[in-house]
Amino acid sequence: MRVLGIESSCDETAAALVTESGQVLADVVASQVAMHGPYGGIVPELASRAHMQAIIPVIREALSKAPGGLDGVDAIAVTQGPGLVGSLLVGVQVAKALAWSIGKPLVGVNHLDGHLLAVYLRRPEEDSADEGPAMPFVGLLVSGGHTALYRVEGAGDIALLAQTRDDAAGEAFDKAAKLLGLGYPGGPVIDRLASRGNADAVSFPLPMASRKTLEFSFSGLKTALARHVQKHGVPGDEQELADLCASYQGVIVESLVRKAVLACKNQGLNRLVISGGVAANRGLRARAKEACDANGLALFVPPPVSCTDNAAMIAMAAAQRLVAGERDDLSFAVYSRDPDRRRGKFRRDGSLVERT
Ligand code: KG4
Ligand code: ZN
């Protein structure tokens, strides 16, 4: 089965062709980063318009990369939410029209499920025979809009364990970069600077340090950085700036890794998947590997290209449902927020103890 995935939830217009086993045949992403950069964040109306301009050329390009083009497509998957409504509408409407016109099944996908299941994608440039983690696993999803821990039992059975009380980790990177005048998006530039800096140079408080909670919080850290900058100014010296970035990134990474390891222990699971845009962060990847090795956990992190927004992960998340013969009614609507998920305390066998 060949699935055409379409993604337009935020500021990337993307289309991909993926087989049900996760082989990526085509993966095209048109980024709007340069357009939003001067505003220091995404401007929703500009994003919607840019999606409208890009969506057909992006789908065409993806289809041109595999023999058969549209005729070779067996099903269509599209991001239904969460995301910016005006952005989502573009992808969903195009996907519906395409599915209707070629008479193939359509599946609406939760963007966050896509991130969590991106670990099963197999790209031609990878020569790994690794099949990806057996389920269930603990998934740490770290993106620009979400930071949360999940128990992933199956493609259609993903339970929320805990999430951030305020900002997402990606937001913490983006807001810090804005404050330091480093542009948008902040993650990649802070990642680069941090790799040359000393993480012990500036001391920031570790958020939610108690082992009693799996929740995250990054707004206090952002305030601590703002206070530091108020007091000392934005470092003019390149090394000092790198040190400040390394210290700030170090605390975010430490908080993410500690909670992820704690979640694995609480769940009695020894497989951890980290995904979402922030999982491209080299500091996070290195620290997570170290912590997993020390705690006997197997770590799975998709390559950076699968971590940031893409349509291959959307096709992947839909594939299992499609193989089971599922399809969505063409009248489904988009959603801006993550819908309620099964949540609460879980027994080690995955059964739910209580709702919170
Ligand atoms: O998953 P994603 O592409 O889009 C959302 O669904 O939000 O994540 C975007 C976020 C942005 O906040 C960006 O700054 C962050 O991922 N990001 C990074 C890195 N690359 C992207 N954060 C830290 N280090 C990186 N290398
Ligand atoms: Zn995303």
Side-chain angles (χ1 to χ4, degrees), residues 7 9-12 42 82 111-112 115 141-146 168-175 177 184-192 249 275-285 304 306-310 313:
E7 153 68 36
S9 65
C10 195
D11 62 342
E12 256 102 32
I42 297 161
H111 180 82
L112 308 180
H115 276 305
L141 170 56
V142 269
S143 72
H146 297 86
E171 251 176 302
F173 277 103
D174 295 338
K175 287 178 177 170
Y184 172 85
V189 56
I190 291 183
D191 186 356
R192 249 190 332 271
Q249 174 178 295
S275 195
V278 180
N281 185 274
R282 286 169 294 168
L284 174 59
R285 297 168 87 93
S306 295
C307 288
T308 48
D309 283 353
N310 65 85
M313 68 183 194

Side-chain angles (χ1 to χ4, degrees), residues 244-290:
L244 184 57
C245 288
S247 305
Y248 184 80
Q249 174 178 295
V251 174
I252 296 175
V253 164
E254 194 55 34
S255 165
L256 293 172
V257 170
R258 281 199 195 185
K259 298 298 175 189
V261 169
L262 186 58
C264 290
K265 289 197 172 154
N266 290 354
Q267 294 296 311
L269 295 176
N270 65 359
R271 292 173 294 277
L272 173 66
V273 170
I274 307 184
S275 195
V278 180
N281 185 274
R282 286 169 294 168
L284 174 59
R285 297 168 87 93
R287 177 72 190 102
K289 178 81 180 82
E290 199 180 271

Side-chain angles (χ1 to χ4, degrees), residues 8 10 12 32 98 128 147 158 175 181 200 210 221 223 228 344:
S8 71
C10 195
E12 256 102 32
Q32 304 174 6
L98 257 183
S128 160
T147 293
I158 298 178
K175 287 178 177 170
D200 297 322
S210 159
L221 179 62
T223 309
H228 180 90

